[in-house]
Amino acid sequence: MVRKKVAFYTMGCKLNYAETSTIARKFSILDYQQVPFKSYADIYVINSCSVTKNAEIEFQHIVRSTMKINSKAFIVAIGCYAQFNPKKVSSITGIDLVLGYEEKFKIVDYLNRGLFLKQKYYAKIISKKTYFSSFSVGDRTRSFLKIQDGCDYKCSYCIIPMSRGPSRSESIKNILKNIRFLFTKGVKEIVLTGVNIGDYGEKNIYGKNLRFFDLIEAIDQIQEKVRIRLSSIEPNLLQNECIDFLSKSKHFVPHFHIPLQSGSNKILMKMHRRYRRELYQEKVKKIRSLMPYAYIGSDIIVGFPGEKHKHFLETYHFLKKLEISSLHIFSYSTRPNTKSSMMIQENISKKIQWKRNQILRGLSNKKYRFFCQKQINTKKTVLFEKNSGNHKKYLYGYTENYIRTKIPLNSSSIFYENTLQDVLITKVDDKDGIMIAEPINN
Ligand code: SF4
Protein backbone atom coordinates (compact mmCIF):
# COMPACT_ATOMS: atom_id res chain seq x y z
CA MET A 1 0.00 0.00 0.00
CA VAL A 2 1.31 3.45 -0.89
CA ARG A 3 1.80 5.52 2.23
CA LYS A 4 0.04 8.89 2.24
CA LYS A 5 2.39 11.83 2.48
CA VAL A 6 1.85 14.59 5.00
CA ALA A 7 3.72 17.88 5.39
CA PHE A 8 3.62 20.46 8.21
CA TYR A 9 4.22 24.18 8.32
CA THR A 10 4.45 26.08 11.59
CA MET A 11 3.97 29.80 11.94
CA GLY A 12 4.47 31.93 15.01
CA CYS A 13 5.64 30.94 18.45
CA LYS A 14 7.50 28.05 20.08
CA LEU A 15 4.22 26.79 21.45
CA ASN A 16 3.04 26.20 17.90
CA TYR A 17 6.28 24.29 17.17
CA ALA A 18 5.68 22.05 20.17
CA GLU A 19 2.08 21.42 19.11
CA THR A 20 2.92 20.75 15.44
CA SER A 21 5.47 18.18 16.56
CA THR A 22 2.91 16.45 18.79
CA ILE A 23 0.39 16.35 15.93
CA ALA A 24 3.04 15.04 13.51
CA ARG A 25 3.75 12.13 15.88
CA LYS A 26 0.07 11.14 15.68
CA PHE A 27 0.44 10.81 11.90
CA SER A 28 3.66 8.81 12.11
CA ILE A 29 2.01 6.24 14.41
CA LEU A 30 -0.56 5.72 11.67
CA ASP A 31 2.07 5.14 9.03
CA TYR A 32 1.80 8.39 7.15
CA GLN A 33 5.07 9.48 5.59
CA GLN A 34 6.19 12.93 6.71
CA VAL A 35 7.83 14.98 3.95
CA PRO A 36 9.27 18.52 3.88
CA PHE A 37 6.67 21.22 3.38
CA LYS A 38 7.94 22.26 -0.03
CA SER A 39 7.61 18.71 -1.39
CA TYR A 40 4.66 16.99 -2.95
CA ALA A 41 2.24 15.72 -0.26
CA ASP A 42 -1.35 14.46 -0.02
CA ILE A 43 -2.07 16.42 3.15
CA TYR A 44 -0.64 19.76 4.22
CA VAL A 45 -1.17 20.94 7.78
CA ILE A 46 -0.56 24.63 8.44
CA ASN A 47 -0.31 25.69 12.08
CA SER A 48 -1.32 29.34 11.86
CA CYS A 49 -0.73 32.45 13.93
CA SER A 50 -2.91 35.49 14.44
CA VAL A 51 -0.68 37.75 16.50
CA THR A 52 -0.24 40.27 13.69
CA LYS A 53 -2.11 41.14 10.53
CA ASN A 54 1.04 40.15 8.62
CA ALA A 55 0.80 36.61 9.96
CA GLU A 56 -2.66 36.30 8.39
CA ILE A 57 -1.38 37.59 5.04
CA GLU A 58 1.54 35.16 5.24
CA PHE A 59 -0.91 32.33 5.92
CA GLN A 60 -2.77 33.03 2.67
CA HIS A 61 0.50 33.17 0.80
CA ILE A 62 1.52 29.75 2.19
CA VAL A 63 -1.81 28.24 1.14
CA ARG A 64 -1.35 29.58 -2.40
CA SER A 65 2.20 28.25 -2.70
CA THR A 66 1.05 24.87 -1.37
CA MET A 67 -1.59 24.64 -4.06
CA LYS A 68 1.06 25.28 -6.68
CA ILE A 69 2.87 22.13 -5.51
CA ASN A 70 -0.27 19.98 -5.46
CA SER A 71 -3.56 21.57 -6.47
CA LYS A 72 -5.44 18.46 -5.30
CA ALA A 73 -3.88 18.35 -1.86
CA PHE A 74 -6.00 18.32 1.28
CA ILE A 75 -5.07 21.41 3.26
CA VAL A 76 -5.81 21.63 6.97
CA ALA A 77 -5.63 24.89 8.92
CA ILE A 78 -5.01 24.71 12.65
CA GLY A 79 -3.61 27.16 15.22
CA CYS A 80 -4.60 30.59 16.48
CA TYR A 81 -5.86 32.12 13.23
CA ALA A 82 -7.98 29.02 12.54
CA GLN A 83 -9.34 29.13 16.08
CA PHE A 84 -10.02 32.84 16.06
CA ASN A 85 -11.68 33.22 12.69
CA PRO A 86 -12.69 29.78 11.36
CA LYS A 87 -15.25 31.12 8.89
CA LYS A 88 -12.77 33.43 7.25
CA VAL A 89 -10.06 30.79 7.17
CA SER A 90 -12.39 28.19 5.69
CA SER A 91 -13.35 30.64 2.93
CA ILE A 92 -9.74 30.84 1.70
CA THR A 93 -9.39 28.98 -1.60
CA GLY A 94 -7.59 25.70 -1.06
CA ILE A 95 -8.45 25.22 2.61
CA ASP A 96 -10.38 21.99 3.19
CA LEU A 97 -10.53 21.63 6.92
CA VAL A 98 -10.26 24.10 9.79
CA LEU A 99 -9.70 22.73 13.27
CA GLY A 100 -9.94 24.65 16.52
CA TYR A 101 -7.92 24.47 19.71
CA GLU A 102 -9.11 21.03 20.88
CA GLU A 103 -9.97 19.54 17.51
CA LYS A 104 -6.49 19.91 16.08
CA PHE A 105 -5.24 17.17 18.42
CA LYS A 106 -7.87 14.87 16.92
CA ILE A 107 -6.87 15.69 13.34
CA VAL A 108 -6.26 12.08 12.39
CA ASP A 109 -9.78 11.12 13.57
CA TYR A 110 -11.25 13.88 11.42
CA LEU A 111 -9.37 12.58 8.40
CA ASN A 112 -10.32 8.98 9.15
CA ARG A 113 -13.97 9.87 9.66
CA GLY A 114 -14.29 10.53 5.97
CA LEU A 115 -13.63 14.20 5.85
CA PHE A 116 -11.25 13.45 3.07
CA LEU A 117 -13.98 14.50 0.68
CA LYS A 118 -12.56 17.77 -0.46
CA GLN A 119 -15.45 19.56 1.19
CA LYS A 120 -15.11 22.77 3.07
CA TYR A 121 -15.46 22.04 6.70
CA TYR A 122 -14.66 23.62 9.93
CA ALA A 123 -14.97 21.78 13.19
CA LYS A 124 -17.08 23.41 15.84
CA ILE A 125 -14.76 25.56 17.87
CA ILE A 126 -15.37 24.33 21.36
CA SER A 127 -13.92 24.78 24.83
CA LYS A 128 -10.45 26.21 25.16
CA LYS A 129 -10.18 25.10 28.76
CA THR A 130 -8.67 21.68 28.29
CA TYR A 131 -4.93 21.19 28.52
CA PHE A 132 -3.02 19.18 25.91
CA SER A 133 0.54 18.07 26.54
CA SER A 134 2.90 18.96 23.71
CA PHE A 135 6.56 18.83 22.94
CA SER A 136 8.72 18.84 19.88
CA VAL A 137 11.28 16.14 19.33
CA GLY A 138 13.34 15.01 16.43
CA ASP A 139 12.88 17.96 14.14
CA ARG A 140 15.24 20.37 15.88
CA THR A 141 18.29 20.10 18.12
CA ARG A 142 16.37 21.80 20.89
CA SER A 143 13.05 20.56 22.06
CA PHE A 144 10.14 22.82 22.96
CA LEU A 145 8.12 21.57 25.91
CA LYS A 146 4.76 23.15 26.62
CA ILE A 147 4.26 23.75 30.34
CA GLN A 148 1.38 26.22 30.23
CA ASP A 149 -1.25 27.46 27.80
CA GLY A 150 -3.65 30.41 27.53
CA CYS A 151 -3.56 33.72 29.36
CA ASP A 152 -5.66 35.55 31.98
CA TYR A 153 -4.07 38.91 31.23
CA LYS A 154 -5.88 41.44 29.13
CA CYS A 155 -3.22 43.44 27.31
CA SER A 156 -5.22 45.86 25.21
CA TYR A 157 -3.60 44.91 21.88
CA CYS A 158 -3.54 41.14 22.29
CA ILE A 159 -5.69 38.58 20.58
CA ILE A 160 -4.09 35.52 22.21
CA PRO A 161 -6.45 35.14 25.23
CA MET A 162 -9.30 34.99 22.68
CA SER A 163 -7.68 32.25 20.63
CA ARG A 164 -5.99 30.21 23.38
CA GLY A 165 -8.38 30.71 26.28
CA PRO A 166 -7.63 31.09 30.00
CA SER A 167 -4.35 30.20 31.69
CA ARG A 168 -3.86 26.53 32.57
CA SER A 169 -0.79 24.46 33.31
CA GLU A 170 0.70 21.03 32.92
CA SER A 171 1.34 19.19 36.22
CA ILE A 172 4.90 19.19 37.57
CA LYS A 173 4.76 15.41 37.53
CA ASN A 174 4.02 15.32 33.79
CA ILE A 175 6.58 18.00 33.02
CA LEU A 176 9.30 15.96 34.76
CA LYS A 177 8.12 12.82 32.99
CA ASN A 178 8.29 14.58 29.61
CA ILE A 179 11.75 15.97 30.32
CA ARG A 180 13.00 12.47 31.14
CA PHE A 181 11.36 11.07 28.02
CA LEU A 182 12.97 13.75 25.85
CA PHE A 183 16.33 12.98 27.43
CA THR A 184 15.96 9.30 26.48
CA LYS A 185 15.38 10.48 22.90
CA GLY A 186 18.76 12.19 22.91
CA VAL A 187 17.53 15.73 23.51
CA LYS A 188 20.17 17.88 25.20
CA GLU A 189 18.30 21.14 25.53
CA ILE A 190 14.68 21.82 26.39
CA VAL A 191 12.90 25.16 26.09
CA LEU A 192 10.00 25.57 28.49
CA THR A 193 7.25 27.24 26.51
CA GLY A 194 3.80 28.61 27.11
CA VAL A 195 1.74 31.70 26.50
CA ASN A 196 2.44 33.18 29.92
CA ILE A 197 4.84 30.79 31.67
CA GLY A 198 5.39 33.01 34.71
CA ASP A 199 1.71 32.49 35.51
CA TYR A 200 2.36 28.76 35.89
CA GLY A 201 0.17 27.26 38.61
CA GLU A 202 -0.91 23.87 39.83
CA LYS A 203 -2.76 22.68 42.90
CA ASN A 204 -1.01 19.62 44.29
CA ILE A 205 -2.70 16.65 45.97
CA TYR A 206 -2.47 18.38 49.38
CA GLY A 207 -4.28 21.45 47.99
CA LYS A 208 -1.15 23.59 47.98
CA ASN A 209 -0.82 26.06 45.12
CA LEU A 210 2.41 25.38 43.29
CA ARG A 211 3.79 28.34 41.36
CA PHE A 212 6.49 28.96 38.77
CA PHE A 213 9.20 28.93 41.44
CA ASP A 214 8.11 25.46 42.63
CA LEU A 215 8.31 24.24 39.05
CA ILE A 216 11.85 25.45 38.36
CA GLU A 217 12.98 24.15 41.74
CA ALA A 218 11.57 20.68 40.91
CA ILE A 219 13.10 20.67 37.43
CA ASP A 220 16.52 21.60 38.76
CA GLN A 221 16.61 18.43 40.84
CA ILE A 222 16.59 16.06 37.86
CA GLN A 223 19.66 13.88 37.38
CA GLU A 224 19.62 13.86 33.57
CA LYS A 225 22.29 15.94 31.86
CA VAL A 226 20.07 18.30 29.94
CA ARG A 227 20.06 22.05 29.80
CA ILE A 228 16.84 24.00 30.27
CA ARG A 229 15.95 27.33 28.72
CA LEU A 230 13.03 29.59 29.59
CA SER A 231 10.99 31.20 26.85
CA SER A 232 9.43 34.62 27.23
CA ILE A 233 8.41 35.62 30.77
CA GLU A 234 6.47 38.70 31.87
CA PRO A 235 8.65 41.08 33.97
CA ASN A 236 6.13 41.30 36.82
CA LEU A 237 6.06 37.49 37.08
CA LEU A 238 9.81 37.07 37.12
CA GLN A 239 10.16 37.08 40.90
CA ASN A 240 13.46 38.06 42.48
CA GLU A 241 13.61 34.69 44.23
CA CYS A 242 13.42 33.04 40.77
CA ILE A 243 16.33 35.15 39.50
CA ASP A 244 18.37 34.24 42.60
CA PHE A 245 17.58 30.58 42.10
CA LEU A 246 18.28 30.57 38.36
CA SER A 247 21.66 32.22 38.89
CA LYS A 248 22.79 29.18 40.91
CA SER A 249 20.92 26.52 39.00
CA LYS A 250 22.48 23.31 37.64
CA HIS A 251 20.26 23.01 34.59
CA PHE A 252 18.86 26.43 33.69
CA VAL A 253 20.99 28.46 31.29
CA PRO A 254 21.53 32.23 31.72
CA HIS A 255 19.02 33.31 29.10
CA PHE A 256 15.99 35.56 29.62
CA HIS A 257 13.43 36.90 27.25
CA ILE A 258 11.43 39.60 29.00
CA PRO A 259 8.92 41.57 26.93
CA LEU A 260 8.93 45.30 27.66
CA GLN A 261 6.70 46.56 24.79
CA SER A 262 7.23 50.25 25.58
CA GLY A 263 9.63 52.36 27.62
CA SER A 264 6.93 54.94 28.27
CA ASN A 265 4.76 54.42 31.34
CA LYS A 266 1.90 56.27 29.68
CA ILE A 267 1.90 53.78 26.79
CA LEU A 268 2.37 50.80 29.12
CA MET A 269 -0.78 51.91 30.90
CA LYS A 270 -2.68 52.17 27.62
CA MET A 271 -1.44 48.69 26.75
CA HIS A 272 -2.79 47.44 30.11
CA ARG A 273 0.61 45.98 30.94
CA ARG A 274 0.97 45.03 34.60
CA TYR A 275 4.26 46.78 35.37
CA ARG A 276 5.99 50.09 34.84
CA ARG A 277 9.38 50.70 33.33
CA GLU A 278 11.03 51.08 36.76
CA LEU A 279 10.18 47.47 37.60
CA TYR A 280 11.61 46.31 34.30
CA GLN A 281 14.83 48.17 34.93
CA GLU A 282 15.08 46.65 38.40
CA LYS A 283 14.76 43.11 36.96
CA VAL A 284 17.47 43.72 34.36
CA LYS A 285 19.80 45.15 37.03
CA LYS A 286 19.20 42.18 39.29
CA ILE A 287 19.96 39.69 36.51
CA ARG A 288 23.08 41.58 35.47
CA SER A 289 24.40 41.75 39.03
CA LEU A 290 24.13 37.97 39.40
CA MET A 291 24.72 36.83 35.81
CA PRO A 292 26.89 39.39 34.01
CA TYR A 293 27.01 37.26 30.83
CA ALA A 294 23.32 36.39 30.68
CA TYR A 295 21.49 36.99 27.42
CA ILE A 296 18.53 39.31 27.99
CA GLY A 297 16.21 39.77 25.04
CA SER A 298 13.13 41.96 24.88
CA ASP A 299 10.06 42.67 22.74
CA ILE A 300 8.99 46.17 21.77
CA ILE A 301 5.88 47.36 19.95
CA VAL A 302 6.32 50.61 18.05
CA GLY A 303 3.50 52.81 16.85
CA PHE A 304 0.93 51.80 19.46
CA PRO A 305 -2.12 54.12 19.21
CA GLY A 306 -1.30 57.40 20.92
CA GLU A 307 2.48 56.82 20.91
CA LYS A 308 3.62 60.39 20.31
CA HIS A 309 7.17 61.34 19.36
CA LYS A 310 7.96 62.08 23.01
CA HIS A 311 6.80 58.61 24.08
CA PHE A 312 8.93 57.00 21.42
CA LEU A 313 11.94 59.04 22.56
CA GLU A 314 11.31 57.91 26.14
CA THR A 315 11.40 54.31 24.91
CA TYR A 316 14.54 54.89 22.88
CA HIS A 317 16.49 56.52 25.71
CA PHE A 318 15.26 53.98 28.24
CA LEU A 319 16.41 51.11 26.02
CA LYS A 320 19.70 52.77 25.23
CA LYS A 321 20.70 52.73 28.89
CA LEU A 322 19.31 49.29 29.62
CA GLU A 323 21.87 46.46 29.69
CA ILE A 324 19.95 44.10 27.44
CA SER A 325 21.36 41.99 24.60
CA SER A 326 18.90 42.50 21.74
CA LEU A 327 15.36 43.49 20.83
CA HIS A 328 12.53 42.03 18.80
CA ILE A 329 10.68 44.96 17.33
CA PHE A 330 7.10 44.74 16.12
CA SER A 331 5.11 47.46 14.43
CA TYR A 332 1.68 47.68 16.02
CA SER A 333 -1.13 46.15 14.01
CA THR A 334 -4.79 46.31 14.98
CA ARG A 335 -6.32 42.97 15.92
CA PRO A 336 -10.10 42.60 15.83
CA ASN A 337 -12.11 42.76 19.09
CA THR A 338 -9.19 44.05 21.15
CA LYS A 339 -9.40 47.18 23.33
CA SER A 340 -6.76 48.96 21.28
CA SER A 341 -8.79 48.42 18.10
CA MET A 342 -11.19 51.05 19.54
CA MET A 343 -8.37 53.61 19.74
CA ILE A 344 -8.57 54.09 16.00
CA GLN A 345 -8.49 57.89 16.18
CA GLU A 346 -5.06 57.72 17.80
CA ASN A 347 -3.54 55.39 15.20
CA ILE A 348 0.01 56.09 14.08
CA SER A 349 0.78 56.17 10.36
CA LYS A 350 2.59 53.21 8.78
CA LYS A 351 5.39 55.53 7.70
CA ILE A 352 6.10 56.69 11.26
CA GLN A 353 5.83 53.11 12.53
CA TRP A 354 8.37 51.98 9.95
CA LYS A 355 10.78 54.79 10.87
CA ARG A 356 10.58 53.99 14.58
CA ASN A 357 11.00 50.31 13.83
CA GLN A 358 14.19 51.03 11.85
CA ILE A 359 15.63 53.22 14.60
CA LEU A 360 15.13 50.51 17.21
CA ARG A 361 16.51 47.85 14.88
CA GLY A 362 19.68 49.92 14.61
CA LEU A 363 19.84 50.16 18.40
CA SER A 364 19.26 46.41 18.76
CA ASN A 365 22.09 45.61 16.30
CA LYS A 366 24.46 47.82 18.28
CA LYS A 367 23.45 46.18 21.53
CA TYR A 368 23.89 42.70 20.13
CA ARG A 369 27.35 43.52 18.72
CA PHE A 370 28.36 44.95 22.10
CA PHE A 371 27.04 41.86 23.87
CA CYS A 372 29.00 39.58 21.49
CA GLN A 373 32.23 41.58 21.92
CA LYS A 374 31.95 41.07 25.67
CA GLN A 375 32.07 37.30 25.15
CA ILE A 376 35.44 37.25 23.39
CA ASN A 377 38.03 35.19 25.28
CA THR A 378 35.40 33.59 27.48
CA LYS A 379 34.72 29.89 27.78
CA LYS A 380 31.29 28.70 26.70
CA THR A 381 29.44 25.45 26.13
CA VAL A 382 27.88 25.07 22.69
CA LEU A 383 25.17 22.64 21.70
CA PHE A 384 26.15 21.79 18.13
CA GLU A 385 23.36 21.32 15.61
CA LYS A 386 22.77 18.96 12.77
CA ASN A 387 24.91 19.96 9.82
CA SER A 388 22.41 20.49 7.03
CA GLY A 389 25.09 19.98 4.38
CA ASN A 390 24.95 23.60 3.25
CA HIS A 391 27.59 24.58 5.75
CA LYS A 392 30.67 22.65 4.79
CA LYS A 393 33.15 24.86 6.57
CA TYR A 394 31.58 25.21 10.02
CA LEU A 395 29.48 23.46 12.59
CA TYR A 396 26.90 25.76 14.21
CA GLY A 397 25.23 25.92 17.57
CA TYR A 398 24.16 28.08 20.49
CA THR A 399 26.04 28.82 23.67
CA GLU A 400 24.30 28.56 27.02
CA ASN A 401 23.74 32.33 26.87
CA TYR A 402 22.15 32.07 23.44
CA ILE A 403 24.90 33.30 21.16
CA ARG A 404 25.00 31.85 17.67
CA THR A 405 28.46 30.34 17.39
CA LYS A 406 30.39 28.37 14.80
CA ILE A 407 33.53 26.32 14.84
CA PRO A 408 35.64 25.47 11.76
CA LEU A 409 34.87 21.87 10.84
CA ASN A 410 38.50 20.88 10.52
CA SER A 411 39.46 22.19 13.97
CA SER A 412 38.71 18.98 15.79
CA SER A 413 37.18 15.64 15.07
CA ILE A 414 35.47 15.54 18.48
CA PHE A 415 32.82 18.03 17.41
CA TYR A 416 29.68 16.15 16.54
CA GLU A 417 26.15 17.34 16.03
CA ASN A 418 23.88 17.27 19.08
CA THR A 419 26.77 17.31 21.54
CA LEU A 420 27.58 19.85 24.20
CA GLN A 421 31.17 21.00 23.84
CA ASP A 422 33.35 23.49 25.68
CA VAL A 423 34.82 26.16 23.44
CA LEU A 424 36.70 29.42 23.65
CA ILE A 425 35.02 32.35 21.89
CA THR A 426 37.72 34.01 19.79
CA LYS A 427 36.07 36.63 17.59
CA VAL A 428 33.00 37.81 15.72
CA ASP A 429 32.81 37.01 12.02
CA ASP A 430 32.20 40.42 10.42
CA LYS A 431 30.50 38.83 7.41
CA ASP A 432 27.57 37.26 9.23
CA GLY A 433 27.89 38.53 12.81
CA ILE A 434 28.25 34.96 14.15
CA MET A 435 30.80 34.25 16.89
CA ILE A 436 33.75 32.06 15.96
CA ALA A 437 35.03 29.64 18.58
CA GLU A 438 37.85 27.17 18.95
CA PRO A 439 37.91 23.90 20.86
CA ILE A 440 39.25 23.78 24.37
CA ASN A 441 41.63 20.90 24.80
CA ASN A 442 41.00 19.69 28.29
S1 SF4 B 1 0.47 38.60 28.74
FE1 SF4 B 1 -0.59 40.11 27.47
S2 SF4 B 1 0.54 40.02 25.51
FE2 SF4 B 1 1.06 38.13 26.63
S3 SF4 B 1 -0.46 36.63 25.89
FE3 SF4 B 1 -1.28 37.52 27.77
S4 SF4 B 1 -2.60 39.18 27.04
FE4 SF4 B 1 -1.25 38.64 25.35
Side-chain angles (χ1 to χ4, degrees):
M1 200 182 99
V2 184
R3 287 164 79 199
K4 284 215 181 301
K5 291 181 179 164
V6 59
F8 298 89
Y9 190 92
T10 308
M11 301 173 64
C13 62
K14 292 169 178 134
L15 207 55
N16 271 8
Y17 278 96
E19 291 181 346
T20 302
S21 188
T22 298
I23 291 162
R25 285 195 295 281
K26 290 180 192 285
F27 277 91
S28 64
I29 295 166
L30 290 164
D31 211 27
Y32 282 81
Q33 183 190 353
Q34 190 177 332
V35 294
F37 197 77
K38 285 190 177 154
S39 330
Y40 184 95
D42 303 291
I43 305 161
Y44 291 91
V45 180
I46 308 171
N47 198 351
S48 64
C49 171
S50 62
V51 167
T52 61
K53 180 92 192 132
N54 273 350
E56 294 181 3
I57 296 166
E58 192 194 335
F59 175 83
Q60 296 181 20
H61 173 75
I62 293 160
V63 175
R64 276 198 301 275
S65 48
T66 304
M67 286 180 69
K68 279 187 198 148
I69 304 171
N70 177 7
S71 60
K72 294 200 174 92
F74 193 84
I75 306 178
V76 189
I78 59 172
C80 289
Y81 186 28
Q83 167 75 36
F84 185 68
N85 205 338
K87 273 198 181 155
K88 190 167 173 201
V89 173
S90 69
S91 71
I92 295 170
T93 310
I95 292 292
D96 298 292
L97 177 62
V98 182
L99 296 176
Y101 177 77
E102 286 205 23
E103 296 77 16
K104 69 184 172 206
F105 293 99
K106 300 174 198 150
I107 183 169
V108 179
D109 300 342
Y110 279 99
L111 294 173
N112 286 345
R113 263 192 253 151
L115 285 170
F116 230 130
L117 300 171
K118 260 305 197 181
Q119 278 175 356
K120 289 262 177 225
Y121 180 85
Y122 68 89
K124 203 170 131 229
I125 303 300
I126 49 175
S127 162
K128 288 170 273 175
K129 293 189 177 153
T130 322
Y131 188 88
F132 291 94
S133 283
S134 289
F135 52 78
S136 66
V137 62
D139 36 12
R140 291 185 160 211
T141 305
R142 282 177 286 158
S143 178
F144 299 115
L145 172 63
K146 185 166 101 175
I147 59 162
Q148 183 274 346
D149 202 345
C151 185
D152 294 337
Y153 282 22
K154 291 185 173 56
C155 300
S156 61
Y157 52 85
C158 186
I159 201 172
I160 295 175
M162 286 176 251
S163 52
R164 283 201 171 258
S167 180
R168 56 237 189 256
S169 305
E170 178 73 283
S171 68
I172 292 184
K173 193 173 151 220
N174 276 349
I175 292 171
L176 296 179
K177 194 176 95 193
N178 286 336
I179 290 176
R180 292 196 177 105
F181 173 78
L182 289 169
F183 181 74
T184 63
K185 293 283 167 200
V187 170
K188 304 272 186 325
E189 183 176 303
I190 296 168
V191 186
L192 304 183
T193 65
V195 173
N196 191 350
I197 62 168
D199 196 32
Y200 179 88
E202 184 206 0
K203 216 176 211 130
N204 72 3
I205 46 167
Y206 308 107
K208 186 183 171 214
N209 282 323
L210 301 175
R211 308 301 309 165
F212 184 67
F213 182 78
D214 302 292
L215 172 69
I216 58 175
E217 208 180 30
I219 291 177
D220 211 40
Q221 285 169 27
I222 57 166
Q223 298 303 316
E224 288 75 6
K225 196 173 180 298
V226 60
R227 60 186 199 187
I228 312 281
R229 220 174 262 289
L230 296 179
S231 58
S232 182
I233 183 161
E234 290 290 296
N236 51 308
L237 294 172
L238 182 58
Q239 308 288 344
N240 286 344
E241 64 169 348
C242 290
I243 301 175
D244 287 326
F245 182 82
L246 292 167
S247 72
K248 297 181 204 123
S249 139
K250 270 198 298 176
H251 293 285
F252 286 88
V253 289
H255 174 191
F256 296 84
H257 188 92
I258 317 168
L260 170 66
Q261 311 303 19
S262 173
S264 154
N265 280 343
K266 169 107 193 285
I267 300 298
L268 286 176
M269 272 193 276
K270 287 191 86 171
M271 289 176 163
H272 294 192
R273 300 290 286 166
R274 299 193 184 191
Y275 54 87
R276 297 296 167 254
R277 62 190 228 154
E278 292 74 17
L279 179 122
Y280 193 95
Q281 192 170 29
E282 189 197 297
K283 298 291 166 189
V284 171
K285 276 192 180 154
K286 171 121 187 126
I287 295 170
R288 277 279 164 258
S289 69
L290 297 171
M291 293 168 263
Y293 290 102
Y295 179 97
I296 309 175
S298 189
D299 291 338
I300 301 290
I301 297 173
V302 290
F304 187 78
E307 186 193 63
K308 299 211 169 87
H309 184 61
K310 65 175 183 187
H311 302 127
F312 174 69
L313 280 185
E314 268 184 74
T315 298
Y316 179 83
H317 291 298
F318 181 70
L319 288 169
K320 204 170 162 201
K321 279 195 251 149
L322 214 56
E323 263 199 88
I324 52 174
S325 318
S326 77
L327 301 163
H328 284 169
I329 303 127
F330 302 89
S331 293
Y332 170 80
S333 69
T334 310
R335 308 311 295 125
N337 303 335
T338 55
K339 279 231 169 79
S340 66
S341 66
M342 320 280 182
M343 303 173 189
I344 197 156
Q345 67 290 357
E346 295 180 272
N347 272 0
I348 306 295
S349 74
K350 289 266 171 265
K351 199 172 154 200
I352 293 178
Q353 281 191 342
W354 183 84
K355 218 169 160 186
R356 291 178 184 172
N357 195 312
Q358 294 304 305
I359 293 170
L360 291 192
R361 263 168 216 263
L363 182 63
S364 175
N365 290 342
K366 265 193 207 155
K367 283 192 174 287
Y368 188 66
R369 272 200 301 275
F370 179 73
F371 178 68
C372 287
Q373 290 291 343
K374 261 186 19 186
Q375 317 294 324
I376 292 175
N377 288 329
T378 62
K379 194 182 125 184
K380 294 281 173 290
T381 307
V382 175
L383 175 57
F384 285 102
E385 294 162 5
K386 195 171 165 190
N387 194 330
S388 64
N390 300 329
H391 311 294
K392 298 214 165 41
K393 284 196 194 151
Y394 296 98
L395 203 54
Y396 290 77
Y398 279 94
T399 60
E400 59 274 52
N401 59 346
Y402 205 55
I403 307 167
R404 190 88 178 129
T405 302
K406 59 185 182 182
I407 191 154
L409 264 179
N410 58 4
S411 67
S412 170
S413 57
I414 58 156
F415 283 80
Y416 303 115
E417 61 188 49
N418 202 25
T419 59
L420 287 160
Q421 304 275 355
D422 291 340
V423 299
L424 181 74
I425 303 287
T426 54
K427 59 178 173 180
V428 184
D429 187 336
D430 291 332
K431 284 192 215 120
D432 55 13
I434 296 175
M435 303 291 311
I436 302 181
E438 62 183 41
I440 291 176
N441 297 317
N442 296 313

